[in-house]
Amino acid sequence: MRSAIFMAMISLAAAFAFPAWAGLRPPPQDAHAPHDRQAQSAVPWHALDHDTQQMLAPLKQRWDRLPAHAQHHLMEKAKRWERLPAYRQKRIRRNIQRWQQMTPAERRRVRTNERIYEQLSPAQRAQLHQAYERFKQMPPEQQKSLRRQWHRLSPEQRKHWIKNGAKGDLPHAHSGGR
């Protein structure tokens, strides 16, 4: 059962910790978007207030080339950011830094885990969350051991274990695994 907890921690972290929280995704594609997008006009960089410019500074060089709907989406994110409590902003900044330090392969793994997580049923997600909470309560040495077991599993074994609700011990790794 303890090995199940590690998987929960990894999947949960992957699903929640990176692009979605950081606001690094493009605006959602929904049924109402085409109409709304046509009604939006581009906002030149110089028209943004000082605080918004500060927050969106990394995008300054590209801002005027962004589609209007993307500009509006980013401005909404900036306004939402201002209203977040300091502890949430701090957590998001940490997650962004971790994301930026990842290799392309690590980012692909995170995105894959996120897609797997999104396909889980609410009950499976709840089980995964519970397993993650148990993992957090483990002593560090036990967590390390579980991580080593996890890394020895093939991607198929990991996916299968998650899809089955992250229950029970982790499966045994195939011989010759990582």
Side-chain angles (χ1 to χ4, degrees), residues 119-168:
Q119 294 171 5
L120 297 176
S121 70
Q124 290 170 318
R125 289 181 188 193
Q127 289 171 336
L128 202 52
H129 182 70
Q130 290 168 356
Y132 173 65
E133 290 302 319
R134 288 190 302 271
F135 178 82
K136 287 189 336 186
Q137 300 304 314
M138 287 181 174
E141 196 52 47
Q142 213 172 355
Q143 289 179 2
K144 243 186 232 179
S145 172
L146 212 44
R147 282 188 187 102
R148 282 191 298 269
Q149 281 181 282
W150 174 253
H151 287 294
R152 286 192 292 263
L153 297 178
S154 70
E156 294 78 27
Q157 287 174 305
R158 294 175 190 171
K159 187 175 182 177
H160 179 74
W161 187 81
I162 295 169
K163 290 224 180 225
N164 286 323
K167 291 182 186 173

Side-chain angles (χ1 to χ4, degrees), residues 6-16 113-114 117 128 150 162:
F6 175 70
M7 178 47 211
M9 188 266 318
I10 293 296
S11 297
L12 213 52
F16 291 114
N113 287 341
E114 187 175 13
Y117 181 84
L128 202 52
W150 174 253
I162 295 169

Side-chain angles (χ1 to χ4, degrees), residues 35-55:
H35 173 65
D36 293 340
R37 287 184 185 164
Q38 290 172 356
Q40 295 174 334
S41 57
V43 179
W45 181 259
H46 69 278
L48 298 174
D49 63 63
H50 177 73
D51 291 340
T52 304
Q53 283 184 352
Q54 291 289 94
M55 198 167 300

